Amino acid sequence: MRPFDYLRANALDDAASKAGDGAQFIAGGTNLLDLMKLQVMTPETVIDINNIDGLDKIEPHEGGLKIGTLVRNADLAADPQVRRAYPVLSRALLAGASSQIRNKATTGGNLLQRTRCPYFYDPAMACNKRDPSAGCAAKGGVSRMLAILGTSAACRAAHPSDMAVAMRALDARVEILGTDGATRTVALDELYQLPGETPEIETCLEPGEIITAVILPAPQPNATQSYRKIRDRASYAFALVSVAALVEMDGETIKTASLAFGGIGARPWADAQVNAMLEGEPPSEELFGRAADVLLADAVTDEGNDFKREMTRRALVAVMREATGMAPASTGTDKVEALT
Ligand code: SF4
């Protein structure tokens, strides 16, 4: 690890005044410290924001909830208000990382964690995200964990967060404090920038800006919420594909649907067209298949991650069957048992 200066901020304006070129805020540090040890990130100054009062609260806000940026992932998942009104968020958090990491990782840090593209973590490999215009070693490389939507010729990295996928389905907004002391809120799709030709620019945050909170809108009391994550092992693994869903029925018809996907997008992925085509329709396997077609229409895959098309389709259909009360599809288990 390279030498760096460590500063502790006691207030937001103190943090802003300490921020400058080459500075990096730190809270839980569960991703940043790894990146510093690997010399993928080499900040000259690290500003610890853990001592700033008021950023570790979960409070009622305009019928919804305001989640402070320093709220730990474990505390957020266990919060009674979250479990009761936003169970999709609680489940997504518990599907991420390990309990030790969830005890340290914060809400703001989770949103800003970097991709787990293996080439990004290896400074010996070319990576446009780490070193602009260096090239992309993932081209022709191992692509199993890479995104298939929102990618560009410059970068195919997937966003790794589970929490952010649930927040995207919930239409969360992110509160940001600017260096001028003004606060603004942005939707998650505005926070995250698609890679385009500048994959090193991942968010709309300007230098010195701090995420102070995430705001969840008022809950939908009649919506079924679910989070399904498919991964290579049962715990402590990033998603190959995940789906967060909030679905409200009106009798036999889908009244509202909000789906978001992880593991497949350059950012937590949602498609308004997919939600719109589900709404007002009676649930059916055929409808869900068409929704998957629309979702995946612009997917770009290679041999190593083409399986994500079918995996995403199946995950979408399974989650929608469950959320709309359709019987689960047959797994063929009875047949297997009969054969053994
Ligand atoms: Fe870097 Fe993106 Fe290429 Fe991965 S996919 S090596 S993060 S440029």
Side-chain angles (χ1 to χ4, degrees), residues 3 34 45 78 104 145 151 161 215 245 260 274 294 323:
D34 283 347
T45 307
K104 284 297 287 178
M145 300 305 293
T151 58
S161 174
I215 294 167
V274 170
V294 169

Side-chain angles (χ1 to χ4, degrees), residues 329-339:
S330 167
T331 60
T333 308
D334 49 348
K335 222 177 274 177
V336 173
E337 281 171 358
L339 288 170

